[in-house]
Amino acid sequence: AQKVTQAQTEISVVEKEDVTLDCVYETRDTTYYLFWYKQPPSGELVFLIRRNSFDEQNEISGRYSWNFQKSTSSFNFTITASQVVDSAVYFCALSEAGNFNKFYFGSGTKLNVKP
Amino acid sequence: GAVVSQHPSWVICKSGTSVKIECRSLDFQATTMFWYRQFPKQSLMLMATSNEGSKATYEQGVEKDKFLINHASLTLSTLTVTSAHPEDSSFYICSARDGRLGGNTIYFGEGSWLTVV
C-alpha cells in the first residue's frame, strides 16, 4: 500500500491565487516525520518543512502554511498569493520510527502558476 | 551552500558502458547514505541504503549487481550503473544524515541526470 498519497497530479492557478496541495499518509507507527519538498525543473530537492507526529500545530512561514491533522492522516500545504516562481513539483514525504532516514515520497503535485 | 554534493550533475553514456555517480557529504561524516531514483514525471523511489564499511542494503526489485554501491569513506558513497541501458536513464539523487550534536537532519544532493544512448 502506498504510504504517501498526493492525489493531485497537476494544478494550474493564476498568479496571486491561493492554492492547497493535498497529502495523505499511512503509517502504523506512532512516531514519524512528515516533510514537504519543492523540486524545480533543475531537479534538486528544496526542503520546505519537517513535522514530527507529536506536533499538530499548524505552521506558517511567509506565504506558506501547513495543516497537519492526525485524525485524517493529512498534511496539506497551502501557498497564499501564489507567484510564478512557485511553479515546481512538490513532494510530500514520510519517514517512520523504524528508520527515520528512509523516506517514502508521494507521487508529487506539479504546480503551474501562470502570470 | 550544499552540504551534500553529487557529481556529475549530468552524464550521457553509451549503452553497455558503466557510469559512476558520487555523493559526498561536505561538512559532516555520514555513516549511512541513501540512493533514490526518479523516472520522468514520477516520484522518488529508494533504491538502496549505503553503509560505510559494509555492504549496501537494496530495496526489493533493485538489482544489486547492476547498481553497485560503494561507501568506502565516511564522506563518500558511489553508485555505479553497470552495463547501462536506455531504460536506466533517470534522475539519481542521494541523501545523507547529519547526526552531529544529536541532530537528525537529512540532506539531499543536487541529483544526477543520467541519459543512456
Side-chain angles (χ1 to χ4, degrees):
Chain A
Q2 199 163 359
K3 288 183 177 286
V4 179
T5 302
Q6 294 179 254
Q8 305 149 308
T9 304
E10 188 166 353
I11 301 174
S12 292
V13 298
V14 177
E15 208 170 19
K16 298 184 182 178
E17 285 185 6
D18 298 347
V19 59
T20 296
L21 310 182
D22 298 333
C23 174
V24 175
Y25 63 92
E26 180 182 333
T27 180
R28 293 180 179 179
D29 288 354
T30 56
T31 304
Y32 52 89
Y33 285 100
L34 294 164
F35 303 79
W36 275 96
Y37 284 88
K38 174 182 180 180
Q39 186 180 46
S42 51
E44 76 272 21
L45 290 177
V46 179
F47 170 81
L48 297 178
I49 190 172
R50 181 179 74 178
R51 214 52 170 165
N52 74 55
S53 53
F54 299 108
D55 184 0
E56 278 195 81
Q57 277 193 337
N58 292 329
E59 181 158 339
I60 297 175
S61 176
R63 296 184 297 108
Y64 296 167
S65 62
W66 291 268
N67 185 325
F68 177 26
Q69 294 202 352
K70 291 178 73 171
S71 61
T72 56
S73 296
S74 64
F75 186 44
N76 297 336
F77 171 35
T78 298
I79 301 176
T80 304
S82 60
Q83 300 176 1
V84 173
V85 293
D86 295 329
S87 297
V89 178
Y90 290 84
F91 288 98
C92 180
L94 165 76
S95 69
E96 299 171 310
N99 185 352
F100 283 123
N101 305 312
K102 180 177 178 178
F103 281 39
Y104 298 93
F105 285 89
S107 52
T109 297
K110 184 177 182 182
L111 175 64
N112 302 306
V113 182
K114 302 175 182 178
Chain B
V3 294
V4 175
S5 178
Q6 280 184 241
H7 177 80
S9 300
W10 300 81
V11 58
I12 299 175
C13 70
K14 291 184 177 181
S15 187
T17 62
S18 296
V19 60
K20 181 185 290 186
I21 301 170
E22 295 183 346
C23 177
R24 292 182 184 274
S25 56
L26 302 181
D27 300 321
F28 61 94
Q29 296 180 333
T31 55
T32 307
M33 293 183 176
F34 301 84
W35 287 96
Y36 293 81
R37 177 171 57 185
Q38 183 183 25
F39 291 111
K41 298 185 179 181
Q42 294 188 29
S43 188
L44 296 91
M45 300 298 293
L46 180 66
M47 297 176 66
T49 301
S50 173
N51 305 298
E52 189 270 335
S54 65
K55 292 182 179 180
T57 305
Y58 290 82
E59 295 298 303
Q60 192 172 9
V62 178
E63 300 175 60
K64 61 180 181 180
D65 294 330
K66 181 169 183 60
F67 298 100
L68 300 180
I69 291 174
N70 188 343
H71 196 149
S73 79
L74 287 170
T75 58
L76 173 64
S77 174
T78 60
L79 169 67
T80 301
V81 183
T82 63
S83 186
H85 288 96
E87 57 264 32
D88 298 324
S89 299
S90 184
F91 183 66
Y92 293 87
I93 191 166
C94 69
S95 68
R97 184 179 73 89
D98 183 358
R100 291 175 297 177
L101 302 177
N104 190 27
T105 302
I106 295 287
Y107 294 99
F108 283 88
E110 310 99 322
S112 300
W113 295 93
L114 169 63
T115 301
V116 184
V117 298

